Amino acid sequence: ADLSWTGGDPDPGDIVTYDVYFGITSPPPLVASGQSATTYDPGTMQSLTTYYWKIVTWDNHGASTEGPMWYFTTVYIPNNPPYTPHDPIPSDHATDVNINTDVTWAGGDPDPGDIVTYDVYFGITSPPPSVASGQSATTYDPGTMYSSTIYYWKIVAHDNHNGSADGPIWQFTTKTELNNPPYTPDDPSPAN
């Protein structure tokens, strides 16, 4: 929530500014001074916490008026964990996967505004080792993989309120790449 109030000055032409005091102690500390707006964004507040605030109004002649001390208590909003990572590409147990394929998944969070990051586990052992952490993208480039190899991968989602969700371990098999022999040596110099 943002704080808002009414203000102004009875003298026409006076310029009015506001000092904002806000915090969890009474009296609250000064958090903004000399602002012209009659709103203040305190950022994300803690749940089930009482906040105190007051406004001091100043005009351009140095006169001020201190407002009363106000307070409110925030409500508890439970945090839902992120969605369990799902819909892997390549799909679980896929075969003949190109050795240059990126892995992707679906994620997200049911709570509006939550920031979700992902830890990626990927490798040829199960469980796979950690290869990336805290990434916001829902794709990972493992580089060129070995052909005819089973790869295992898993995603763990985290939100910015310490919620997390572990995805299952998925696997796929890369396709067999034909290996051509090197070219026959040719064009000798000096020639026979």
Side-chain angles (χ1 to χ4, degrees):
D2 288 349
L3 310 177
S4 65
W5 60 92
T6 58
D9 193 289
D11 299 322
D14 277 6
I15 299 171
V16 177
T17 59
Y18 304 96
D19 291 347
V20 180
Y21 293 79
F22 178 79
I24 58 174
T25 59
S26 180
L30 176 67
V31 293
S33 63
Q35 73 171 47
S36 58
T38 57
T39 61
Y40 175 74
D41 180 0
T44 303
M45 295 176 276
Q46 299 173 22
S47 63
L48 297 176
T49 303
T50 299
Y51 287 90
Y52 300 90
W53 65 294
K54 73 175 180 176
I55 305 298
V56 176
T57 306
W58 293 87
D59 68 16
N60 56 320
H61 302 290
S64 67
T65 302
E66 185 172 321
M69 180 73 64
W70 295 308
Y71 67 92
F72 60 89
T73 302
T74 55
V75 297
Y76 173 70
I77 299 176
N79 178 56
N80 294 301
Y83 293 122
T84 300
H86 56 283
D87 296 336
I89 298 174
S91 62
D92 194 23
H93 295 281
T95 57
D96 292 329
V97 173
N98 187 296
I99 61 172
N100 291 307
T101 298
D102 291 351
V103 295
T104 65
W105 61 93
D109 194 288
D111 299 324
D114 276 10
I115 298 169
V116 181
T117 59
Y118 302 96
D119 296 343
V120 180
Y121 297 79
F122 188 91
I124 57 174
T125 60
S126 183
S130 173
V131 293
S133 62
Q135 73 171 48
S136 57
T138 55
T139 189
Y140 174 74
D141 179 358
T144 302
M145 297 175 279
Y146 299 115
S147 68
S148 303
T149 304
I150 298 174
Y151 283 89
Y152 300 91
W153 62 296
K154 168 183 166 169
I155 306 299
V156 178
H158 300 277
D159 69 18
N160 56 322
H161 301 289
N162 296 321
S164 66
D166 285 23
I169 294 177
W170 297 308
Q171 72 180 59
F172 62 86
T173 304
T174 54
K175 68 180 177 181
T176 301
E177 297 284 328
L178 298 178
N179 185 30
N180 295 310
Y183 292 114
T184 303
D186 198 9
D187 295 331
S189 178
N192 293 348

